[in-house]
C-alpha cells in the first residue's frame, strides 16, 4: 500500500525532529521504519493527529501508538508558487495536500503530493503514502503522498 | 443570563490614533517609539491626558509590554494589563473587549488597546529562513513547504470553494473594494495605486487559490484605541463610539495541530455570532458598515457569511464590487482600505476605521452610519468581533 523513495522532494527545508517532551517520537520512528503510526485512545478507540497527551474525546490519558493503513483521500490542497524559504527559490510550484484518513477517525495529515507539480488535483481522490528517506543530522523520513487506485 | 451581564453601551471608544503607515521595514522609528506615538495620537484625539491611562491591552505577543509603556509615559497608576492569546491578528477586537471588560469590572478607568509592528527591526511574517531542525506542530507542516501565513489558510479556502461552490468572484471584489477605498484615504499605503479586474486576474499566484492581491500587506506602524466609561466619555473631545458588543470566538478544537480543526471550513466566527448580536441587541440587518479582517480574501467571504451578512448560497451575488463600495454599496466593506490596501497593523486599523465610521469621520464615510462591525482573525484558532454604535443606537 505504500512505497519509499530516497529522492528528496523539497530539499533544503528545516528537517523535523521529535519534540523534546517525547510526545511525537513514535511517529517519526515509525516513519523511518516505513510504518504510519498515530495515536489511538485505549479507552474509547479514537485516533488522534497531531499527537496530544490526552484523548480529546474521553479525556483518557491512556493512549497508545498504532500502525494504520498508509492510505487516505485528498481533503484539500494548495499549490504554492511564491518561494517562502530560500531553499525554494528555484524550485517552482509544488503541491501540498491535506489528506483525510477515514479508517483512522478521519484524522488529517499534511504532506506533498508527489508527481507532476501541475497535475489536476481532485478532492476525494485516493492517495497512498510514500516514505521519503532523507539524509540529515540525524537521518529522517517524511510521510509523502501520491495518487493511487481507489482504496 | 441576566441582561446586566453584558457590555452593551457601558463602555465607549473615545480616541483613536495611528502613526504614519510604512511599507514593511521602512519605519525610521523603533517599534516601541511607534507605539508611544500611536498612544499619544489617540489621547490627543480623545482630548485626554496620557497620564490618565491606567490599563493596557494587546494581542499576538506584542513586544511592547505595559510596564515599559507605563514607564515611558509616566503613568502614575498601572492597574491593568492584558495579553490576548491567539494566532495571527485574531485578537484585535478581543483587545478592545478585554479593555471594555476591565472597565466594566472597575479594574481600570482608561484603557488603551494597541498594536505595533516594525518588521525592519524584527523580521517579516511572510518569509522564513533557518536550517535548524523543527519540532512540535511545525514539524508536521514545515518540511513539506508549508510555513507562511498564506499557506496556513489556503487549504481552508480550497475546501470552502469545493463545498459551497462560491468564492472566486467574491475574493476579487473584496480586493478591489479595499483598493478602491484606499484611494480616498491618505493614510493608506496603497493610496494612489488602483486595482482593476484585469490586474487582479493576471496577478501571480502566491499559493493557489490565493493570488497576490488576495493577500494582506506587511507594514510598519502602530495604532491605539482609548476606551473608557460611557458616562465619562460625555465630557471628552468627540462623540463616543459605544462598544455595543465584543466577543472572542474559538470552536471545537479550532486550535488543533496539522489542520485537524473539527470544523475546517470556517472563518472561526460561528461560535461567537449568536452572543454578539444578542449582546448588542441587534441583528445582522442593522449593520451599516463592515470592517472584515483580510489576512486573505477567502477568509473574508467565510467571515461575512458566518456573521449573517450574506449566505453560502448568495455570497457571489451579494459580494460584488458595487455592493462593497462605501459610495452607494449595500454592504460597504473595509472602508479604509483594510489590511490589503491601508495597512496591515494586525487588524487594529480595522477597529479604528469602525470607530471613525460611527463618528462620521471616515475618508470613505458611509452616509448616516450608526452601527459598524469590525472582526479580526478569520480562520485562526481564536477570532474576535466588536460592534460599535452611536449613542442613539442604545435607544
Ligand atoms: Zn478516548
Amino acid at each position: 500500500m505504500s512505497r519509499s523513495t530516497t529522492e528528496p522532494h523539497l530539499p533544503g527545508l528545516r528537517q523535523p525532529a521529535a519534540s523534546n517532551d517525547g510526545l511525537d517520537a513514535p511517529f517519526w520512528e515509525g516513519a523511518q521504519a516505513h510504518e504510519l503510526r498515530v495515536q489511538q485512545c485505549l479507552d474509547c478507540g479514537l485516533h488522534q493527529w497531531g499527537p496530544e497527551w490526552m484523548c480529546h474525546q474521553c479525556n483518557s490519558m491512556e493512549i497508545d501508538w498504532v500502525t494504520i493503513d498508509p492510505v487516505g483521500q485528498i481533503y484539500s490542497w494548495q499549490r504554492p508558487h511564491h518561494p517562502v524559504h530560500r531553499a525554494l527559490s528555484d524550485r517552482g510550484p509544488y503541491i501540498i495536500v491535506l489528506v483525510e484518513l477515514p479508517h483512522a477517525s478521519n484524522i488529517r495529515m499534511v504532506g506533498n503530493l508527489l508527481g507532476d507539480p501541475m497535475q489536476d488535483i481532485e478532492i476525494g481522490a485516493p492517495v497512498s503514502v510514500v516514505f521519503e528517506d532523507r539524509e540529515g543530522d540525524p537521518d529522517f523520513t517524511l510521510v509523502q503522498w501520491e495518487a493511487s487506485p481507489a482504496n | 443570563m441576566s441582561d446586566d451581564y453584558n457590555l452593551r453601551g457601558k463602555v465607549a471608544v473615545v480616541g483613536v490614533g495611528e502613526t504614519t503607515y510604512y511599507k514593511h521595514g521602512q519605519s525610521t522609528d523603533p517599534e516601541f517609539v511607534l507605539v508611544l506615538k500611536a498612544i499619544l495620537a489617540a489621547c490627543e484625539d480623545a482630548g485626554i491626558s496620557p497620564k490618565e491611562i491606567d490599563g493596557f491591552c494587546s494581542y499576538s505577543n506584542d513586544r511592547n509590554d505595559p510596564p515599559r509603556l507605563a514607564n515611558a509615559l509616566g503613568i502614575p497608576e498601572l492597574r491593568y494589563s492584558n495579553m490576548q492569546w491567539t494566532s495571527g491578528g485574531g485578537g484585535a477586537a478581543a483587545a478592545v473587549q478585554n479593555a471594555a471588560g476591565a472597565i466594566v469590572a472597575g479594574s481600570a478607568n482608561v484603557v488603551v488597546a494597541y498594536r505595533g509592528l516594525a518588521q525592519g527591526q524584527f523580521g517579516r511574517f511572510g518569509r522564513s529562513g533557518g536550517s535548524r531542525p523543527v519540532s512540535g506542530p511545525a514539524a508536521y507542516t514545515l518540511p513539506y513547504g508549508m510555513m507562511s501565513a498564506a499557506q496556513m489558510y489556503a487549504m481552508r479556502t480550497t475546501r470552502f470553494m469545493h463545498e459551497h461552490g462560491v468564492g472566486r468572484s467574491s475574493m476579487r471584489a473584496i480586493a478591489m473594494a479595499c483598493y478602491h477605498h484606499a484611494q480616498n484615504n491618505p493614510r493608506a499605503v496603497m493610496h494612489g495605486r488602483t486595482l482593476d479586474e484585469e490586474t487582479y486576474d493576471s496577478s501571480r499566484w502566491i499559493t493557489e487559490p490565493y493570488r497576490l492581491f488576495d493577500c494582506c500587506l506587511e507594514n510598519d506602524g502602530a495604532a491605539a484605541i482609548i476606551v473608557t466609561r460611557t458616562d465619562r466619555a460625555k465630557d471628552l473631545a468627540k462623540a463616543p463610539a459605544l462598544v455595543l458588543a465584543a466577543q472572542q470566538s474559538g470552536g471545537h478544537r479550532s486550535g488543533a495541530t496539522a489542520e485537524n480543526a473539527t470544523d475546517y471550513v470556517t472563518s472561526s466566527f460561528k461560535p461567537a455570532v449568536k452572543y454578539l448580536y444578542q449582546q448588542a441587541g441587534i441583528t445582522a440587518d442593522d449593520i451599516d458598515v463592515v470592517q472584515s479582517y483580510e489576512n486573505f480574501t477567502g477568509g473574508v467571504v467565510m467571515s461575512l457569511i458566518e456573521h449573517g451578512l450574506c449566505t453560502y448560497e448568495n455570497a457571489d451575488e451579494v459580494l460584488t464590487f458595487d455592493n462593497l463600495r462605501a459610495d452607494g454599496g449595500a454592504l460597504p466593506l473595509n472602508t479604509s482600505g483594510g489590511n490589503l490596501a491601508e495597512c496591515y497593523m494586525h487588524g487594529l486599523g480595522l477597529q479604528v476605521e469602525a470607530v471613525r465610521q460611527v463618528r462620521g469621520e471616515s475618508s470613505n464615510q458611509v452616509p448616516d452610519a450608526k452601527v459598524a462591525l469590525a472582526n479580526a482573525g478569520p480562520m485562526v484558532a481564536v477570532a474576535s468581533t466588536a460592534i460599535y454604535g452611536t449613542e442613539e443606537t442604545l435607544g
Side-chain angles (χ1 to χ4, degrees):
Chain A
M1 276 183 288
S2 64
R3 69 176 181 93
S4 66
T5 179
T6 55
E7 192 179 331
H9 188 64
L10 297 175
L13 298 177
R14 294 166 67 184
Q15 76 171 74
S19 55
N20 63 8
D21 56 9
L23 177 62
D24 60 6
F27 171 76
W28 295 112
E29 289 162 9
Q32 283 199 286
H34 295 176
E35 290 189 356
L36 186 59
R37 293 181 194 159
V38 298
Q39 286 182 320
Q40 185 172 23
C41 175
L42 288 171
D43 284 312
C44 77
L46 187 80
H47 296 83
Q48 264 186 169
W49 179 254
E52 301 283 354
W53 291 105
M54 177 179 280
C55 169
H56 69 79
Q57 182 163 272
C58 75
N59 298 134
S60 169
M61 297 181 81
E62 299 300 316
I63 295 174
D64 203 359
W65 286 82
V66 294
T67 298
I68 58 171
D69 285 348
V71 297
Q73 300 168 0
I74 295 175
Y75 184 80
S76 194
W77 62 276
Q78 63 179 311
R79 185 161 20 224
H81 294 243
H82 176 73
V84 293
H85 187 283
R86 62 176 179 273
L88 299 168
S89 292
D90 301 313
R91 175 65 177 74
Y94 57 98
I95 300 165
I96 304 170
V97 281
L98 183 57
V99 176
E100 186 177 53
L101 283 64
H103 55 293
S105 311
N106 292 313
I107 58 170
R108 304 178 202 126
M109 306 188 93
V110 172
N112 297 123
L113 185 66
L114 305 187
D116 179 1
M118 297 310 292
Q119 67 188 280
D120 289 333
I121 305 152
E122 192 187 338
I123 287 179
V127 288
S128 59
V129 165
V130 179
F131 291 104
E132 181 185 313
D133 293 325
R134 296 274 296 271
E135 293 180 354
D137 182 21
D139 291 352
F140 62 100
T141 298
L142 296 178
V143 175
Q144 302 284 24
W145 302 87
E146 66 182 356
S148 72
N151 53 55
Chain B
M1 192 174 72
S2 161
D3 283 341
D4 291 341
Y5 284 91
N6 68 44
L7 286 176
R8 183 171 183 264
K10 297 185 175 77
V11 170
V13 175
V14 295
V16 292
E18 64 268 281
T19 63
T20 300
Y21 288 149
Y22 301 92
K23 293 191 170 174
H24 66 86
Q26 294 191 356
S27 169
T28 50
D29 286 326
E31 190 176 85
F32 185 70
V33 174
L34 294 170
V35 173
L36 288 174
K37 286 183 172 180
I39 292 173
L40 291 183
C43 287
E44 186 179 343
D45 184 58
I48 206 166
S49 165
K51 309 290 192 212
E52 289 195 49
I53 296 171
D54 55 2
F56 294 84
C57 291
S58 192
Y59 56 101
S60 286
N61 298 319
D62 189 282
R63 289 171 283 247
N64 309 283
D65 63 81
R68 188 179 175 203
L69 289 167
N71 201 29
L73 291 163
I75 302 265
E77 293 182 333
L78 177 54
R79 299 175 61 203
Y80 186 79
S81 303
N82 178 278
M83 168 54 66
Q84 169 72 13
W85 283 295
T86 179
S87 50
V96 175
Q97 177 200 16
N98 294 332
I103 289 162
V104 170
S107 305
N109 281 324
V110 178
V111 182
V112 58
Y114 66 96
R115 182 79 176 108
L117 286 169
Q119 302 203 321
Q121 191 181 355
F122 291 107
R124 291 188 64 183
F125 292 117
R127 192 174 169 87
S128 59
S131 52
R132 288 178 296 106
V134 58
S135 64
Y140 316 142
T141 61
L142 196 150
Y144 307 100
M146 180 171 162
M147 61 194 94
S148 72
Q151 294 171 339
M152 298 300 174
Y153 305 122
M155 291 196 293
R156 288 197 183 227
T157 300
T158 306
R159 182 76 195 183
F160 165 75
M161 293 193 293
H162 171 77
E163 288 193 7
H164 296 288
V166 293
R168 191 76 256 176
S169 68
S170 294
M171 288 162 65
R172 180 173 66 186
I174 288 162
M176 288 174 59
C178 290
Y179 271 78
H180 175 70
H181 293 142
Q183 303 320 307
N184 286 338
N185 178 3
R187 285 182 299 271
V189 172
M190 291 300 171
H191 182 68
R193 285 191 55 185
T194 57
L195 176 65
D196 58 24
E197 290 189 1
E198 278 184 1
T199 307
Y200 175 94
D201 288 344
S202 61
S203 66
R204 62 191 173 92
W205 293 114
I206 298 301
T207 182
E208 295 174 50
Y210 294 149
R211 293 185 181 279
L212 175 66
F213 291 105
D214 293 309
C215 303
C216 61
L217 303 169
E218 293 195 53
N219 299 107
D220 291 358
I225 293 176
I226 307 284
V227 181
T228 192
R229 299 160 56 121
T230 298
D231 55 4
R232 169 78 206 283
K234 297 183 199 316
D235 309 326
L236 297 177
K238 293 179 178 171
L242 306 189
V243 179
L244 297 181
Q247 182 67 46
Q248 300 171 27
S249 189
H252 182 249
R253 302 198 81 230
S254 58
T257 58
E259 307 294 298
N260 277 268
T262 306
D263 184 0
Y264 191 66
V265 184
T266 179
S267 54
S268 305
F269 289 111
K270 289 176 194 171
V273 167
K274 61 180 179 291
Y275 301 109
L276 194 70
Y277 289 138
Q278 183 183 53
Q279 189 176 99
I282 62 170
T283 69
D285 291 341
D286 297 314
I287 305 291
D288 296 313
V289 55
V290 179
Q291 316 299 330
S292 191
Y293 190 114
E294 338 86 303
N295 37 14
F296 306 97
T297 54
V300 178
V301 181
M302 287 187 249
S303 300
L304 296 173
I305 293 168
E306 290 175 25
H307 282 91
L309 297 160
C310 59
T311 67
Y312 291 103
E313 291 72 29
N314 72 10
D316 282 350
E317 291 140 52
V318 173
L319 305 181
T320 63
F321 176 60
D322 283 341
N323 266 345
L324 300 178
R325 299 165 60 146
D327 44 333
L331 184 61
L333 179 80
N334 297 6
T335 48
S336 65
N339 293 333
L340 294 190
E342 185 195 41
C343 172
Y344 184 61
M345 196 35 57
H346 241 165
L348 201 61
L350 294 164
Q351 304 296 317
V352 168
E353 174 64 10
V355 170
R356 289 205 170 108
Q357 283 287 353
V358 166
R359 287 171 157 187
E361 291 183 341
S362 170
S363 53
N364 289 284
Q365 185 61 43
V366 172
D368 213 21
K370 292 184 180 64
V371 180
L373 180 148
N375 66 41
M379 306 180 280
V380 298
V382 181
S384 59
T385 304
I387 299 177
Y388 304 91
T390 59
E391 283 187 290
E392 66 188 273
T393 57
L394 274 189

